[in-house]
Amino acid sequence: MSTMIETAERPAPNLIRQPSGTINDLAIRVGTVNGSGSQSANLVLLRSLHRMGIPCSGKNVFPSNIEGLPTWFHIRASAKGYVGHRLDPQILVCMNAQTADDDVRQLKPGSICIYRDELHLADLRDDVTFFSVPFSRLVEEAYPAEAGDKGYRDKLRKVINMVYVGVVSYVVGIDFDAIEWSIRREFPGRKAKAAEINIAAARTGHAWAEANLPRNLPYRVERMDATNGQVLIEGNRAAAIGAMFGGASVLTWYPITPSSSLAEYLEEMLKKYRTRPDGKRTFTVVQAEDELAAIGMAVGAGWAGARAITATAGPGISLMAEFVGLAYFAEIPVVIVDVQRMGPSTGLPTRTSQGDILKLHYLGHGDCKHIVLIPGSVGECYSMAIEALDLAQRFQTPVFMATDLDLGMNLWLTSSFEYPTKPIDHGKLLSAEDLERLGGFERYRDIDADGVCYRTVPGTEHPLAAYFTRGTGHNEKSGYSERPEDWKRNLDRLARKLETARCALPEPVIDEPRRTSVGIVAYGGTHYAIVESRDALRERGLDTSYCRLRALPVHDAVIDFIDRHDRVYVVEQNRDAQVATILKTVVPPRLVDRIRSITHYSGTPIAVENVAPAILAREGLTESTNGHGGERLARKSDEPTTE
Amino acid sequence: MAASEAKVSVRTFDGRSLALPVVAFQGSASTLCKGCGHNSITSALIDACKAVGVDPYRTVKLSGIGCSSKTPAYFLQASHGFNALHGRMPSVATGASLANHRLLCIGISGDGDTANIGLGQFKHACRRNLPIVYIVENNGCYGLTKGQFSATADLHQHLRRETGEENLNSPFDLCLEAICGGATYVARSFAGDKKQLLPLLKGALKHKGTAFLDIISPCVTFNDFPSSTKSWEWARDHEEPLQELGFVPRLDEIEVEQKAGQSTRVQMHDGAWITLRALHHDELDVTCRASAMKLLAETKTNEELLTGLFYADTRRDNFIDTLNVVDEPLASLQQDDLRPSKDVLDTIMSML
């Protein structure tokens, strides 16, 4: 061999200090350059693990950039089903010179670093196993230039990624059959030639590794049978499927990361599955000029009887605020999906967050309070999108669905979605025949004492159908009114309506096998870090119960959960403990002091390391926490760590 | 027979004939200032709707915020109305059309609502050729917030009174903007010239795309001093003896009758004047977008407001036509259409 890896001569077990070897508990991180075509290679690794029956997940940590900036792909495979973010990889693949040094310095001792031979990383540390791989030479061997192929260099730049797939597959023991299957899946049909080229590249990488790297490396995977019937899907695609089966008929949107793919998936599916044989569509999709227009169109459509939906992210939510307030007050059904990201303006548009929750719940001006559904899995992205469309009609109000970039844009394992069993809900809608029978209606009169009034839509052919919709003060007949009693009565009824809705929203999911003094409340994509944290805490002797909040306003079951525990840690991905803040406003005063916060807000998805050590410290079970997960502790020294 | 018992015959979308009482076309009493040009427009609009047989059950009235935007309450009470957000009427109208393409949208806006806060949505509606009758009741100022300049305020106009702050920014000509944006029926008229306004409104109600009408509508309260072109006084200094003007008592609605090709100077409530010149049919080929824009650009410098129909294109598809939706309104679709079968879900899942 012309190129020898620096460490190949030494037996691996002596090198790998910590953690010791694992089977089916794998974390790989691949550092590449954005736009270099590494996505296919990373998906091949992920799908191969899935193919081997091991629970897994893939996260694309990418910059706000089209080409040139660093990007990382995190792959996790776990027999225990831990598919949340993990801070430290065991295997690092360095393809990007820009970040390689930093990435290596952050590794835990005992990790393995696979890198392009020209990067010269091996001198950086002596507690990491380095495998220098001649990627450039290998890819040219696997994919020789064809005469006259002007795009050869560009193609080579992409195919080189499949060489690391081959190397990694050897290092961790992924079956090459699974790799081959995944490559063919990635390059189907007319791309068959590309598939063969990529398979050759992966095989070359694998063969080289077999010939040059030690056997029995410590981080291994083995076939298991835990992914049968499960699929990998992003939350945005899942939500789009839900919206289609939920009967969305009008989608109006404006591009914004990380929500754009939701709208694009939905449009793609509507075109495919909601077009009649004669080519006519049972839907419309409009890419609006901005978020103001996107929500304006959705509100106009909802008012006129459509099942309208829009998708956006934080800055778009801000632009939609005025219309959402109007829709709340004028009582117009509309669904708004917020795929949350970090920060204002551009902020960190490609990094995840749960920082919009408080704003969503109260968005508007004057007194507003909204229904917010918070899916905690891709499966719930699907089912809650269906539910959101029904709830909006049923309660004639804006309904938010709050997901986040991590859930929305990354691939998660899920069982196949279930076909909806509840019929589509059109709410309290009066037809011309109803009006004839009733002899009229008053738009804002609470006939049923549930706060939800009857409505008509334009186009109803009856002299008593019309009413005037306005943001200005109105009485029960929808007439203009500035009378204090009319205004207050209306606001009180809206509160009653929301109370009716509260009891109809998804209940929290509570896991409380036995009585514990410590409870955890979390929501959304934070769920996965909690699952793992509870096991970690149990190993340290701390039993916890878990309540996963799924909707706002807060369900009574959440309050009862808090009441059953001495200390409740509300774990969320924002700085100011937004849901903890909401909870403190709805629990009885005696429970307020039981609510504590664990927050994470760096833009990376929350990991077990951000949760378990913080809870242990607050419970007095460790001396202190440092580094990850300690942000909140460091700032809130005034809070008691134990009861 | 009393007027309220009179019937108006209208034709439904599917060709049926309905006889509706006149009151279906009327609205509640105006709460605008007495003598406001907007009231004249409302009255002309009611007449136009009756004359063309607009089906109120399939008409929606939409507006933004401002004095003008209150007017949908004053006509077509048998139609659903929506007083939406400042400058955002076009998006709400777009949504209503998406939900139900059979609806006739009548959007009422003002100069602040359209030329200032809503310029973006206005021009995007034009660009899409949204099927809508889009009326701007243009008085060059903000009424509800007490007289501030709008983007159609004249250059060098003074705020509220002769000694008020001077406007140093040139106005938008909304007709020019509409044509430039892609509207397919663009006209200007004067609130008080019912003879000109009525046919323009009727034409707009029959048009299948964006029908934009910039209607100069004097504000009796905040823009009625001599130097404003949207007041009476301005016109007095430009009066030419070509046009007989009836004396209009202060605080009554202003009425004029323009003659094609001639300038008409109109005295506003405070005695100020404006000059209108109704387009002569020889002056312009209304099917030619470029010549309409050229004419408007030229008259912008002439201190007169050209009125009449500037541009009409009846061939271009409107926005809804381009969407290829099913014949029935999306709003009336039921589960069979809205929810694909379980087989579809299974297919989608099997492809993941």
Side-chain angles (χ1 to χ4, degrees):
Chain A
M1 276 292 145
S2 58
T3 306
M4 212 51 211
I5 51 164
E6 279 100 313
T7 54
E9 301 307 314
R10 290 178 279 172
N14 296 338
L15 283 165
I16 312 299
R17 288 174 208 157
Q18 287 298 333
S20 56
T22 58
I23 306 256
N24 287 353
D25 178 17
L26 180 69
I28 304 171
R29 183 166 308 172
V30 182
T32 57
V33 178
N34 204 29
S36 67
S38 57
Q39 187 72 350
S40 297
N42 297 330
L43 290 177
V44 165
L45 281 174
L46 181 63
R47 291 200 187 282
S48 300
L49 292 163
H50 178 237
R51 181 86 176 157
M52 287 177 71
I54 311 162
C56 54
S57 65
K59 292 187 195 303
N60 193 11
V61 178
F62 61 106
S64 178
N65 165 260
I66 300 300
E67 196 271 325
L69 288 184
T71 179
W72 295 266
F73 197 78
H74 298 193
I75 294 169
R76 191 159 184 200
S78 161
K80 290 182 177 170
Y82 299 153
V83 288
H85 181 51
R86 180 169 158 163
L87 286 190
D88 300 293
Q90 299 145 325
I91 314 277
L92 173 71
V93 179
C94 293
M95 300 299 284
N96 183 3
Q98 274 177 286
T99 61
D101 285 17
D102 265 2
D103 288 350
V104 167
R105 286 199 182 93
Q106 285 170 20
L107 285 174
K108 274 196 166 172
S111 307
I112 292 174
C113 172
I114 296 164
Y115 67 100
R116 308 172 71 120
D117 52 356
E118 62 265 36
L119 296 180
H120 305 296
L121 301 175
D123 294 338
L124 290 174
R125 295 176 64 157
D126 59 7
D127 56 354
V128 166
T129 307
F130 288 97
F131 296 150
S132 170
V133 182
F135 282 109
S136 302
R137 180 173 63 75
L138 293 176
V139 70
E140 285 186 51
E141 276 175 30
Y143 178 39
E146 288 168 22
D149 186 356
K150 286 181 185 149
Y152 176 65
R153 283 287 140 196
D154 276 347
K155 287 183 202 160
L156 211 58
R157 213 164 66 94
K158 291 179 187 168
V159 177
I160 196 169
N161 296 306
M162 220 51 87
V163 181
Y164 73 64
V165 169
V167 174
V168 169
S169 71
Y170 171 78
V171 168
V172 304
I174 298 175
D175 295 348
F176 201 81
D177 286 353
I179 297 280
E180 209 173 312
W181 179 89
S182 303
I183 292 175
R184 288 192 207 285
R185 189 191 183 287
E186 197 64 23
F187 301 96
R190 284 179 301 164
K191 296 178 185 165
K193 191 184 168 206
E196 294 315 314
I197 291 167
N198 280 288
I199 288 168
R203 187 167 282 133
T204 303
H206 191 273
W208 179 90
E210 198 167 18
N212 293 280
L213 302 188
R215 289 178 212 290
N216 302 320
L217 288 161
Y219 311 114
R220 308 288 295 173
V221 291
E222 287 173 0
R223 271 190 187 276
M224 54 187 290
D225 193 19
T227 62
N228 249 345
Q230 301 220 303
V231 294
L232 283 165
I233 187 171
E234 310 96 308
N236 282 356
R237 193 190 288 270
I241 297 170
M244 178 172 71
F245 284 93
S249 55
V250 171
L251 165 67
T252 56
W253 68 290
Y254 185 76
I256 181 170
T257 305
S259 73
S260 305
S261 61
L262 195 162
E264 285 168 341
Y265 287 139
L266 180 51
E267 177 167 14
E268 181 188 311
M269 270 182 302
L270 288 169
K271 281 182 180 165
K272 202 163 175 184
Y273 301 114
R274 288 265 301 274
T275 301
R276 287 188 184 158
D278 64 359
K280 299 276 186 188
R281 294 171 172 179
T282 62
F283 64 91
T284 57
V285 178
V286 180
Q287 185 190 316
E289 56 268 35
D290 54 29
E291 287 93 342
L292 299 169
I295 183 74
M297 290 175 193
V299 166
W303 173 71
R307 298 170 76 84
I309 187 167
T310 183
T312 188
I317 292 291
S318 301
L319 291 179
M320 293 180 178
E322 194 183 10
F323 257 118
V324 169
L326 174 68
Y328 171 81
F329 194 64
E331 302 184 58
I332 295 167
V334 60
V335 173
I336 304 143
V337 184
D338 178 11
V339 188
Q340 296 169 92
R341 65 186 219 186
M342 274 281 163
S345 171
T346 305
L348 292 177
T350 60
R351 306 303 156 106
T352 196
S353 160
Q354 294 181 320
D356 294 344
I357 295 289
L358 200 57
K359 177 171 66 179
L360 296 180
H361 194 33
Y362 297 110
L363 195 71
H365 19 257
D367 288 289
C368 280
K369 205 187 274 181
H370 306 290
I371 296 169
V372 185
L373 302 185
I374 312 175
S377 64
V378 288
E380 285 184 352
C381 286
Y382 163 78
S383 60
M384 285 189 182
I386 298 173
E387 190 154 11
L389 284 156
D390 279 341
L391 288 169
Q393 298 292 325
R394 185 165 161 202
F395 294 106
Q396 303 172 17
T397 196
V399 172
F400 288 102
M401 183 163 99
T403 72
D404 57 57
L405 183 144
D406 187 26
L407 208 50
M409 291 188 75
N410 288 323
L411 284 162
W412 299 86
L413 212 57
T414 182
S415 343
S416 283
F417 300 154
E418 282 175 25
Y419 192 70
T421 48
K422 276 194 289 186
I424 279 180
D425 193 341
H426 295 282
K428 296 184 184 178
L429 195 59
L430 297 176
S431 64
E433 294 72 36
D434 294 330
L435 291 167
E436 193 59 34
R437 180 169 47 81
L438 296 167
F441 91 113
E442 292 178 12
R443 172 67 183 94
Y444 299 112
R445 185 180 286 281
D446 186 6
I447 303 279
D448 301 332
D450 58 0
V452 187
C453 307
Y454 288 81
R455 70 175 187 137
T456 59
V457 294
T460 307
E461 195 174 298
H462 196 279
L464 299 170
Y467 69 96
F468 201 85
T469 305
R470 58 178 96 235
T472 41
H474 45 258
N475 57 26
E476 292 178 333
K477 297 174 180 172
S478 76
Y480 179 77
S481 171
E482 294 188 22
R483 285 158 56 100
E485 55 272 36
D486 282 342
W487 184 268
K488 184 169 181 302
R489 185 189 299 125
N490 194 46
L491 274 195
D492 288 343
R493 181 184 53 76
L494 287 170
R496 199 156 64 240
K497 180 168 87 166
L498 202 74
E499 180 60 19
T500 306
R502 190 174 72 91
C503 305
L505 299 180
E507 291 182 18
V509 177
I510 292 175
D511 182 36
E512 194 176 355
R514 61 193 142 287
R515 177 102 177 85
T516 63
S517 53
V518 173
I520 295 173
V521 171
Y523 57 93
T526 302
H527 169 69
Y528 299 94
I530 302 300
V531 170
E532 201 171 345
S533 293
R534 291 180 68 210
D535 286 353
L537 292 170
R538 195 173 300 119
E539 282 170 23
R540 298 292 299 269
L542 181 65
D543 254 357
T544 58
S545 309
Y546 174 32
C547 167
R548 183 163 64 82
L549 182 91
R550 297 198 297 165
L552 295 173
V554 180
H555 198 281
D556 284 343
V558 179
I559 299 168
D560 294 343
F561 177 86
I562 294 170
D563 200 6
R564 289 195 300 274
H565 295 85
D566 300 330
R567 296 174 301 284
V568 174
Y569 294 95
V570 182
V571 186
E572 47 192 320
Q573 300 181 65
N574 55 64
R575 186 191 65 188
D576 294 330
Q578 297 187 10
V579 160
T581 304
I582 292 170
L583 289 174
K584 285 176 184 177
T585 68
V586 297
V587 296
R590 66 187 170 81
L591 299 183
V592 169
D593 286 346
R594 299 188 188 180
I595 298 170
R596 289 102 205 275
S597 285
I598 307 284
T599 58
H600 171 75
Y601 45 92
S602 64
T604 57
I606 194 167
V608 57
E609 294 93 330
N610 304 119
V611 181
I615 291 178
L616 283 174
R618 300 279 278 277
E619 288 294 310
L621 297 173
T622 53
E623 283 154 23
S624 67
T625 61
N626 49 32
H628 310 298
E631 302 111 315
R632 189 73 184 165
L633 278 177
R635 295 193 315 109
K636 301 276 279 187
S637 53
D638 53 334
E639 278 191 18
T641 53
T642 54
E643 191 74 327
Chain B
M1 191 164 71
S4 59
E5 292 163 16
K7 297 278 184 183
V8 177
S9 176
V10 306
R11 196 157 287 277
T12 63
F13 72 96
D14 52 355
R16 285 171 296 125
S17 182
L18 297 177
L20 298 176
V22 166
V23 290
F25 294 81
Q26 295 163 345
S28 57
S30 169
T31 60
L32 298 171
C33 305
K34 184 164 165 48
C36 177
H38 297 1
N39 291 332
S40 311
I41 298 169
T42 299
S43 156
L45 188 55
I46 290 172
D47 288 351
C49 288
K50 288 193 290 192
V52 304
V54 160
D55 175 0
Y57 299 141
R58 285 184 183 76
T59 301
V60 288
K61 314 163 293 181
L62 306 115
S63 61
I65 297 294
C67 291
S68 60
S69 296
K70 292 179 162 214
T71 64
Y74 311 146
F75 63 91
L76 290 186
Q77 60 189 355
S79 302
H80 280 74
F82 195 159
N83 185 187
L85 295 182
H86 199 17
R88 316 295 173 218
M89 176 275 287
S91 63
V92 178
T94 306
S97 289
L98 296 174
N100 185 345
H101 60 85
R102 286 180 190 153
L103 295 176
L104 166 68
C105 290
I106 301 177
I108 311 285
S109 180
D111 40 301
D113 197 57
T114 285
N116 288 67
I117 190 168
L119 192 67
Q121 293 210 347
F122 160 60
K123 295 204 70 165
H124 280 276
C126 293
R127 171 178 168 249
R128 296 189 178 101
N129 197 24
L130 179 73
I132 184 174
V133 177
Y134 191 130
I135 294 169
V136 167
E137 302 183 341
N138 185 353
N139 58 15
C141 72
Y142 286 73
L144 272 182
T145 55
K146 309 242 192 283
Q148 297 84 355
F149 292 133
S150 81
T152 65
D154 304 315
L155 183 63
H156 305 308
Q157 180 182 320
H158 290 266
L159 192 66
R160 298 189 187 112
R161 64 192 74 83
E162 203 58 70
T163 54
E165 192 187 332
E166 185 181 351
N167 174 32
L168 299 175
N169 300 307
S170 295
F172 282 126
D173 179 338
L174 287 174
C175 288
L176 198 52
E177 298 297 331
I179 296 172
C180 175
T184 45
Y185 179 101
V186 178
R188 178 154 44 227
S189 188
F190 181 68
D193 187 352
K194 201 164 187 174
K195 194 170 174 188
Q196 184 193 45
L197 185 53
L198 199 56
L200 287 175
L201 281 169
K202 290 195 309 199
L205 289 167
K206 287 290 186 189
H207 185 68
K208 299 295 180 204
T210 301
F212 176 73
L213 285 145
D214 178 23
I215 308 178
I216 307 302
S217 178
C219 176
V220 297
T221 307
F222 296 112
N223 193 7
D224 62 348
F225 46 88
S227 63
S228 167
T229 61
K230 293 173 189 68
S231 71
W232 291 105
E233 182 86 22
W234 193 82
R236 183 170 57 200
D237 299 337
H238 298 74
E239 185 173 21
E240 289 164 30
L242 296 169
Q243 178 79 34
E244 280 294 318
L245 269 182
F247 175 69
V248 181
R250 187 178 165 84
L251 297 186
D252 270 352
E253 287 157 23
I254 300 161
E255 292 173 8
V256 297
E257 187 180 323
Q258 303 174 71
K259 287 182 182 163
Q262 297 176 358
S263 292
T264 303
R265 306 167 72 191
V266 184
Q267 188 170 33
M268 308 300 260
H269 296 107
D270 67 336
W273 296 81
I274 76 171
T275 301
L276 304 170
R277 185 165 67 81
L279 201 58
H280 194 269
H281 63 82
D282 293 340
E283 282 182 84
L284 177 71
D285 173 5
V286 295
T287 63
C288 176
R289 193 162 172 238
S291 61
M293 290 172 73
K294 183 165 179 284
L295 185 66
L296 284 167
E298 284 166 1
T299 55
K300 201 174 173 183
T301 60
N302 291 347
E303 292 196 322
E304 63 182 3
L305 285 159
L306 201 59
T307 63
L309 178 66
F310 303 132
Y311 180 60
D313 172 3
T314 53
R315 284 166 305 170
R316 190 183 145 200
D317 275 353
N318 71 37
F319 182 55
I320 303 301
D321 294 335
T322 65
L323 297 174
N324 198 24
V325 290
V326 292
D327 292 337
E328 60 269 45
L330 297 182
S332 62
L333 296 181
Q334 298 298 314
Q335 182 150 326
D336 285 352
D337 277 308
L338 293 171
R339 177 170 289 164
S341 67
K342 184 172 185 305
D343 289 348
V344 170
L345 181 64
D346 292 343
T347 304
I348 292 170
M349 297 316 289
S350 72
M351 292 192 309
L352 289 171

